[in-house]
Amino acid sequence: MTTGPAIQLKGLSLSYGDVVAVDDVSLDIPGGEIHCLLGASGSGKSTLLRIIAGLERQGEGSVTIGGEVVSDAEGHIETELRPVGFVLQDYALFPHLDALENVLFGMPDRKSAESRMKAEELFAEVGLSDRVDAMPHTLSGGEQQRVALARAMARSPQVMLLDEPFSSLDVQLRAGVRETTLRILREAGVATVMVTHDPAEALSCGDRVSILREGKLIQTGSPEAIYHHPCGQEAAETFGVINRLAGESSGDRVKTSLGEVGLAAQDPGCPGTVLLRPEQLVLVESGDGGCRVDRIFPEGSTTLYLVQTAEDERLYVRMLSTETLPEDSSLAVRLR
Ligand code: ADP
Ligand code: MG
């Protein structure tokens, strides 16, 4: 066992014709970490995952897994020979094999009693001991996904790659399957890279999160750091609409039309502008109000309001949906 990172990516780039799908990506991921890759559609998430798996070869850079260089300018180790498991978006079980045979398929010695025992242990872990004989089409989406996970775990990988593995599950099922999957991976000490385009999923699942934009890795950090201290406007906007206010800074404070805000040491210098998330603002009743709600976007537990201020600024304000709004004539926006 090496003590270095389980996955080490250095200067990875890959272009398809004129499209730069992955652009100079470097990243270290330790064993046991769940690392979420977050980005819009087309930002290069799947391509990066395919490069780590060895399904695609980068144009530049290197991939090291468990201390061994598996791909660089000199050589390229095939997917089958890498200590890597993966679960893709549509789980793609072999339809003509039952669940157990699907899991045994990936094992080096699939006829041995030992392999069968290991497979049965994996079924127990994913909570499907009673479905080992089932054909894939008789399994629900969540069950198929868990069989796909068991199949990927059957090779005892050091690295697990998950490409939007929960996106085709309905909401009720998703949270449960996600929790089971990530718990098993954490307990096994596997370094996991999980691709998602859902910011909430990335924040709630990732020990760390990386934001990809047009093939570039623009920020890596803990969910807390990524959300509260984005490295710039692009990173901030990954999590939805944001307010830009003119600001005048002095020391660690910035003066805005809504009052003063404090700056954290790690916040990037963005001269003249303050970015505020909608939940950092609140609508209140005030004699000097003069704000008007232009649009209302119900979000379930919260509601997003687009507000026009008396100074003709347009601001997004997020409130709990259980909070009631004062009358339009006396509305004002304040910093929370
Ligand atoms: P994501 O998974 O973030 O949606 P992808 O990695 O699939 O993004 O794609 C990144 C970019 O590379 C996109 O512009 C996509 O069109 C392009 N691309 C991906 N795979 C191929 C391919 N096999 N041939 C040509 N272009 C590709
Ligand atoms: Mg993709």
Side-chain angles (χ1 to χ4, degrees), residues 44-124:
K45 306 180 297 294
S46 295
T47 305
L48 187 54
L49 221 58
R50 293 168 61 81
I51 290 174
I52 302 171
L55 296 165
E56 204 86 61
R57 187 169 183 176
Q58 71 278 11
E60 277 170 63
S62 66
V63 179
T64 302
I65 294 177
E68 187 191 359
V69 178
V70 294
S71 183
D72 64 5
E74 264 90 63
H76 184 78
I77 294 177
E78 293 304 319
T79 303
E80 293 74 28
L81 299 174
R82 296 187 185 193
V84 165
F86 42 90
V87 179
L88 304 179
Q89 201 161 356
D90 48 10
Y91 0 106
L93 297 177
F94 302 114
H96 58 289
L97 300 179
D98 71 23
L100 180 65
E101 289 160 345
N102 260 282
V103 171
L104 286 171
F105 190 85
M107 294 187 171
D109 182 12
R110 69 181 97 141
K111 298 257 188 297
S112 73
E114 208 176 306
S115 294
R116 199 192 158 98
M117 227 163 73
K118 176 164 182 186
E120 282 172 359
E121 269 168 34
L122 284 167
F123 273 96

Side-chain angles (χ1 to χ4, degrees), residues 16 19 21 40-47:
Y16 296 106
V19 177
S41 174
S43 58
K45 306 180 297 294
S46 295
T47 305

Side-chain angles (χ1 to χ4, degrees), residues 257-259 282-292 307-312 327-334:
S257 55
L258 298 177
V282 62
L283 281 166
V284 296
E285 182 152 27
S286 164
D288 62 356
C291 291
R292 198 184 70 227
V307 179
Q308 184 97 29
T309 68
E311 294 77 37
D312 247 12
E327 285 299 305
D328 221 22
S329 58
S330 56
L331 269 185
V333 176
R334 295 273 189 268

Side-chain angles (χ1 to χ4, degrees), residues 14-17 19-22 37-50 56 89 163-164 195-197 212 214-215:
L14 178 63
S15 298
Y16 296 106
V19 177
V20 185
V22 171
L37 278 183
L38 174 65
S41 174
S43 58
K45 306 180 297 294
S46 295
T47 305
L48 187 54
L49 221 58
R50 293 168 61 81
E56 204 86 61
Q89 201 161 356
D163 197 347
E164 313 229 9
V195 161
T196 177
H197 65 266
L212 267 186
E214 292 172 0

